Amino acid sequence: MATSKKVITREEWEKKLNAVKLRKEDMNTLVMNFLVTEGYVEAADKFQRESGTKPEIDLATITDRMAVKKAVQNGNVEDAIEKVNDLNPEILDTNPELFFHLQQQRLIELIRQGKTEEALEFAQEELAPRGEENQAFLQELEKTVALLVFEDASNCPVKDLLDISHRLKTASEVNAAILTSQSHEKDPKLPSLLKMLVWAQNQLDEKAVYPHINDLSTGQLQDPSE
């Protein structure tokens, strides 16, 4: 037998929400965490001065980290590798998967530029030895080299490697590694909290009818009938 759901009016729901006390300091820390993790150095600096909230890491390192990320996004992988080593050589020394992906991206950029001979030489000298030691690396290398087989890359089954989205993926991987090396979370806390909010609402939907937050950008409550 189906049970009826409890109906919670907007007045009751708002009263419950207002009873939850949040410290301004905690909210400011959450905002600063997002700004630092996502690399908004100017906004983080301004927010620090206005709110008095101290960032978890030196803001100067954000500029360096964003320079690395931008270099990868622009296809300047060799420059990015140099910048990472300037920041902390141990990042690549202790993360062979990240280093391989950067070298793979460098190979992709050579292929994108039509430098076939240079690409083959680079693959043979820099990536093939790593593929011999790691089966997953070898498979990735074979997929990348397949781009050279097709005169028209749009017909290649792995054409997605040439998409800008692949650059962004590699850039995000580097960004996360740098953050981890600085003892900082690789992902901001705010998106996780928003996902938790959506999950909690979905769970509560099974038991009650109540005002929802449907638009996370505004945080406005909406009655079920809206």
Side-chain angles (χ1 to χ4, degrees):
M1 181 177 179
T3 58
S4 59
K5 294 181 179 180
K6 180 179 180 179
V7 177
I8 304 176
T9 66
R10 174 183 283 270
E11 182 180 359
E12 292 175 312
W13 195 240
E14 289 181 341
K15 185 177 180 180
K16 290 178 182 292
L17 293 177
N18 292 331
V20 178
K21 303 301 179 183
L22 295 175
R23 296 194 315 152
K24 186 176 182 179
E25 294 82 357
D26 293 335
M27 296 298 294
N28 287 344
T29 299
L30 190 63
V31 172
M32 180 60 80
N33 171 268
F34 177 81
L35 295 176
V36 168
T37 306
E38 292 300 304
Y40 298 113
V41 61
E42 293 182 2
D45 181 55
K46 183 177 180 180
F47 187 68
Q48 178 184 17
R49 287 185 275 107
E50 292 181 350
S51 68
T53 305
K54 293 184 178 181
E56 299 166 337
I57 61 177
D58 185 354
L59 291 182
T61 64
I62 299 179
T63 302
D64 296 332
R65 174 163 54 88
M66 288 300 100
V68 174
K69 187 175 182 180
K70 185 176 181 180
V72 178
Q73 291 173 337
N74 291 337
N76 302 322
V77 183
E78 190 172 4
D79 181 43
I81 292 174
E82 290 180 3
K83 291 182 184 301
V84 172
N85 286 330
D86 288 341
L87 270 175
N88 184 351
E90 291 186 0
I91 294 175
L92 297 182
D93 288 343
T94 59
N95 195 333
E97 183 175 11
L98 173 61
F99 185 62
F100 178 83
H101 286 160
L102 282 169
Q103 295 288 62
Q104 179 190 26
Q105 189 64 47
R106 189 174 170 188
L107 174 60
I108 291 170
E109 300 305 333
L110 290 173
I111 295 173
R112 190 196 309 277
Q113 296 166 20
K115 299 179 179 180
T116 304
E117 292 185 9
E118 189 175 343
L120 286 172
E121 183 179 351
F122 182 78
Q124 184 176 4
E125 294 182 358
E126 300 294 338
L127 293 175
R130 298 180 183 277
E132 293 175 358
E133 301 171 357
N134 187 304
Q135 184 63 30
F137 292 172
L138 179 60
Q139 292 176 353
E140 288 295 318
L141 175 58
E142 290 173 345
K143 284 173 55 179
T144 308
V145 173
L147 292 169
L148 294 169
V149 177
F150 293 80
E151 291 185 8
D152 184 358
S154 63
N155 296 323
C156 182
V158 292
K159 61 183 179 180
D160 290 349
L161 292 174
L162 290 171
D163 287 348
I164 298 302
S165 61
H166 195 272
R167 280 184 182 175
L168 299 181
K169 178 182 177 182
T170 305
S172 295
E173 188 179 353
V174 178
N175 185 61
I178 295 174
L179 284 168
T180 300
S181 74
Q182 297 170 341
S183 300
H184 191 283
E185 300 99 334
K186 63 181 181 179
D187 297 309
K189 296 177 181 177
L190 185 57
S192 297
L193 290 175
L194 293 177
K195 290 178 182 178
M196 190 179 299
L197 169 62
V198 173
W199 176 85
Q201 286 192 153
N202 291 337
Q203 295 297 306
L204 190 56
D205 284 344
E206 300 178 4
K207 301 178 181 180
V209 177
Y210 62 98
H212 280 67
I213 297 178
N214 293 327
D215 188 347
L216 297 179
S217 65
T218 64
Q220 296 295 316
L221 290 174
Q222 288 185 308
D223 293 326
S225 58
E226 293 181 2

